[in-house]
Structures are given as C-alpha cells and as structure tokens.
Amino acid sequence: MSDICIEIGKRIRYFRQNRKMTLQELSAAVYKSRATVSKYESGTISMDIDTLYALADALHVRVEQLLYSKEPMDAVPQREIRPAFFQGLNRFYSYHYDGRDHCVSKSVFDVFSQIGVNRYKIAMYMNYKDLEHYQRAENIYWGYIEHFDALSIIELTHQDTPTEKASIQILASFLDAETKWGLWNGVSSRPLMPVAVKFLFSKKPLAVDAELNRRLKISKEDIRRMKYYNMFSVV
C-alpha cells in the first residue's frame, strides 16, 4: 500500500460522496466489482491508467484532480513560467471578503499541465474550510491561466454548472512579490447578478485576521477611484 494509492483513493472517495454516489453505482459505471472499487478508495490496490480515466469520467472530474504528487507543490524550480510571481509555483492561494456571509473566503489554485506558450490548465477550489483537505470546497472551477507581459488572466468554468463562468485579471504578475491584487468578474448566485470582486493572491497561505479583513474590504480609496474612472478597479 503506497502513499500515492492512499491519497488517490481519498480523492476518489471524496468526489464519490460529494456526488452522493454509492460504491455500487460507481463500480457499475467503471465496470468493476464493488469490492475492487472499495480497495481503490482505501489504497489497498493500485489501478491502471485506463481505470483512473474511467473513474474521473464517472465522477465528472478532471483526471488531474485525482492525482497526487509526492513532491511539494509549492516549489517546482524546473517550471519555466515567465511572470516572476508564478515562477516555480504549482499552487497558489487567493482571498476575498464575501459581504453576504461577512467573512473571508479562501481558495486554492492548482496549476497542471502546460498547453501552450505561457498557458496552463488550472483548478480553483473556492471557500474551503480545511487547507489539508482543500478539495472539499464549496465551489470547484476548472479552466486556464495565461500569462502576458503586463498581467495574467484566468478563465474559469464551474465544474458542476458549465453556464457559470468567471474571469480573473492579476495585475503586474511580471513583478515578484509575496502577494498580488486581482479582479474577479463573474455572476453571483445570491442574488443572481454580475459582480466584480477584489481578490488578493498569495504564494503562501495567509493568516485570516483583522488586517486581512481590512485589506480585502472595499476601501474609501477604492470608492474614490471607482467614482473617478466610473469603473471598479484594483491596484
């Protein structure tokens, strides 16, 4: 029983339970016995690549979301991403203040395979409770991050609701810093309306405290700038 099998099994179990599927339903979908799928989830046995893809399809997730890397995902020096902020990162973090719930919403971004010049597959896990199990998030998005000279742009689609899309622009990602400001543009479901939200991006997890709350809330300077330009912006 390897750590990789155990971790992949945990992911399979989480997504199955999250979709309210029984072991019997999942095993029927991938043409395996219930006992075999149970062993996959416990990490007792390994699976072949075809089965891994079949499980991902049955769970309606990307196969990358089931994978587990033994290497620290926060330090991958061989990845040659041009913007200094993202250099060497396979994972980064974001924070925004949700006025509907009056609290900070935390998100994790996983960066996967490169699919073009400075363009990568990406998954966003929004509003997780436990960083160790961040994939158990309230909302999961899938999409791409693309890096340009002046900024980086993220295009996202909700994993369960394909009509729900969002775009994020991260300012001056070519400059190195521990954090960067960005702007989320999307649709709010409570109530249903277009919104733009200021996001703080970080290379490392941040402490959610009074200072972070202050930084994330719309400030007087934000309002002044919004009135001046007649548009919401972050710098």
Side-chain angles (χ1 to χ4, degrees):
M1 182 185 304
S2 70
D3 291 342
I4 294 175
C5 289
I6 292 172
E7 292 300 324
I8 290 177
K10 288 179 181 178
R11 287 162 169 74
I12 293 170
R13 183 185 300 113
Y14 163 68
F15 286 116
R16 175 180 64 78
Q17 293 175 344
N18 191 53
R19 296 195 175 279
K20 297 180 171 55
M21 292 180 70
T22 64
L23 268 174
Q24 188 61 46
E25 289 170 337
L26 181 56
S27 61
V30 297
Y31 303 100
K32 300 287 184 180
S33 70
R34 183 182 184 279
T36 297
V37 175
S38 178
K39 290 178 181 178
Y40 289 155
E41 289 192 355
S42 65
T44 306
I45 60 174
S46 60
M47 69 194 77
D48 56 53
I49 295 297
D50 288 341
T51 300
L52 182 64
Y53 273 85
L55 286 165
D57 286 342
L59 295 168
H60 302 289
V61 299
R62 307 287 178 135
V63 71
E64 290 93 338
Q65 291 174 258
L66 300 181
L67 297 179
Y68 166 71
S69 173
K70 296 181 69 174
E71 298 299 323
M73 295 193 70
D74 296 304
V76 187
Q78 68 270 23
R79 171 164 282 176
E80 296 182 359
I81 299 178
R82 189 167 47 177
F85 178 74
F86 292 100
Q87 187 68 46
L89 292 181
N90 267 1
R91 178 180 298 160
F92 58 97
Y93 309 85
S94 76
Y95 303 83
H96 73 278
Y97 187 84
D98 192 331
R100 299 166 302 181
D101 300 322
H102 305 290
C103 65
V104 173
S105 178
K106 303 171 292 182
S107 301
V108 171
F109 289 79
D110 278 340
V111 183
F112 299 117
S113 56
Q114 184 171 358
I115 57 172
V117 178
N118 281 326
R119 193 167 191 250
Y120 301 81
K121 289 183 180 179
I122 197 168
M124 176 187 187
Y125 301 89
M126 178 186 278
N127 201 18
Y128 66 86
K129 302 301 180 185
D130 177 10
L131 182 57
E132 187 175 348
H133 303 99
Y134 66 88
Q135 289 187 323
R136 301 175 184 177
E138 181 180 349
N139 292 291
I140 300 175
Y141 293 84
W142 184 266
Y144 306 94
I145 183 169
E146 191 164 7
H147 304 293
F148 300 93
D149 290 338
L151 77 166
S152 296
I153 297 177
I154 300 174
E155 300 291 341
L156 298 168
T157 299
H158 197 282
Q159 183 164 274
D160 297 324
T161 313
T163 55
E164 185 178 330
K165 299 180 183 295
S167 177
I168 304 173
Q169 300 81 40
I170 303 175
L171 182 66
S173 57
F174 63 91
L175 297 175
D176 195 15
E178 289 303 308
T179 60
K180 286 287 181 183
W181 284 107
L183 187 65
W184 161 289
N185 308 280
V187 177
S188 165
S189 59
R190 296 183 285 132
L192 186 64
M193 61 181 180
V195 296
V197 183
K198 59 190 289 189
F199 266 61
L200 183 64
F201 294 88
S202 175
K203 294 181 179 181
K204 299 178 180 179
L206 301 178
V208 178
D209 53 20
E211 175 58 19
L212 183 61
N213 271 263
R214 184 194 65 78
R215 295 178 69 191
L216 295 175
K217 289 181 179 180
I218 295 176
S219 66
K220 291 182 179 179
E221 178 59 25
D222 292 327
I223 296 173
R224 186 200 66 78
R225 194 182 307 113
M226 182 168 55
K227 288 181 177 179
Y228 181 81
Y229 292 111
N230 198 39
M231 60 184 70
F232 185 59
S233 63
V234 293
V235 294

